Amino acid sequence: MTTGNGYEAYEGAGELLRALSAPIRVAIVTELAGGERCVHELVETLGAPQPLVSQHLRVLRGAGVVRGSRRGREIAYALVDEHVAHIVADAVSHAREAR
């Protein structure tokens, strides 16, 4: 394995993939690829309990995948970088092909 800056990129990629390792996080990123969403919108779309969605958004935010901005009394979440949406879309597409 290479050392130096190249390896740091692999570490960063590993951290990103770990952040995306839960199916609900993949679903959240897929939803956010279509634009900003508040927690209640994600809960409604995904059919998951609000505490679970909030917990996974916290993980994605900590990994730098999503950011939140205040929208009145709510926080709207959006992807920080569209590259992540492409990675997730490709992974989902690949998983569907493999079946």
Side-chain angles (χ1 to χ4, degrees), residues 7-93:
Y7 190 72
E8 290 172 7
Y10 295 136
E11 287 177 338
E15 289 173 20
L16 172 62
L17 293 174
R18 271 190 295 284
L20 297 172
S21 67
I24 191 166
R25 291 185 211 142
V26 171
I28 289 170
V29 170
T30 300
E31 285 301 314
L32 294 179
E36 278 189 350
R37 303 278 190 281
C38 292
V39 174
H40 73 88
E41 294 170 314
L42 291 168
V43 165
E44 187 176 305
T45 302
L46 300 174
Q50 182 271 324
L52 183 65
V53 172
S54 293
Q55 176 186 0
H56 286 286
L57 280 167
R58 191 170 23 260
V59 171
L60 291 170
R61 194 173 59 236
V65 174
V66 301
R67 70 174 179 281
S69 58
R70 194 147 291 280
R71 194 197 284 174
R73 291 176 45 191
E74 301 176 318
I75 297 176
Y77 290 91
L79 295 176
V80 170
D81 186 338
E82 291 301 314
H83 286 102
V84 176
H86 295 293
I87 291 167
V88 167
D90 287 346
V92 170
S93 177

